[in-house]
Amino acid sequence: MRQYLLSIYQPDGPVPPPEVLEPIVRDLQALNAEMQAAGAWVFAGGLHPPSTATVLRAQGEEVLVTDGPFTEGKEHLGGFTVIQAPDLDAALEWSRKLARATTLPIEVRPLQGEDAEMTCQPSQ
């Protein structure tokens, strides 16, 4: 089975109020449980705000370290889920459910590699 990264993009700004956020969290937890029961769920995580990011850029022999996100934008990566699915159509179906649960845009990308199985080996 192939693995896919489902990236969740959210608008910059304050966290929504509890009456908006609580149903989203509930729906997301239910979807994660559904993915786990189906054997599709591999890993998921939410991210702290972009202001907590640190970016490193190689410049010759030096590596420049800067605070903040890689690019300024109106949206940022807020979280992600890694799933395994037999094909893109199946990955897109899980992504539709994730978009409904989070009410946010989802980017779907296959992981590289023949089966794209998780390994602890660095890519060559």
Side-chain angles (χ1 to χ4, degrees):
M1 279 226 239
R2 189 156 198 109
Q3 291 188 343
Y4 295 87
L5 174 66
L6 312 182
S7 301
I8 303 165
Y9 287 91
Q10 65 186 63
D12 284 336
V15 175
E19 61 272 9
V20 172
L21 195 55
E22 286 171 6
I24 292 170
V25 170
R26 185 179 57 247
D27 291 348
L28 186 55
Q29 288 172 339
L31 177 58
N32 283 339
E34 181 183 350
M35 285 192 259
Q36 289 170 351
W41 189 90
V42 176
F43 181 77
L47 300 172
H48 286 281
S51 61
T52 65
T54 303
V55 177
L56 290 83
R57 288 183 179 87
Q59 293 186 340
E61 295 296 315
E62 300 296 318
V63 176
L64 177 64
V65 179
T66 57
D67 292 335
F70 176 68
T71 59
E72 295 293 327
K74 295 181 180 180
E75 292 182 328
H76 62 272
L77 182 63
F80 61 90
T81 300
V82 175
I83 62 165
Q84 55 186 11
D87 55 35
L88 179 59
D89 289 337
L92 292 175
E93 190 55 38
W94 286 117
S95 301
R96 283 182 187 89
K97 292 180 179 191
L98 186 57
R100 282 188 214 103
T102 62
T103 70
L104 296 169
I106 307 299
E107 178 184 304
V108 180
R109 294 177 69 180
L111 274 67
Q112 289 187 2
E114 198 170 311
D115 289 346
E117 291 185 18
M118 300 288 275
T119 67
C120 293
Q121 307 278 332
S123 60
Q124 302 287 330

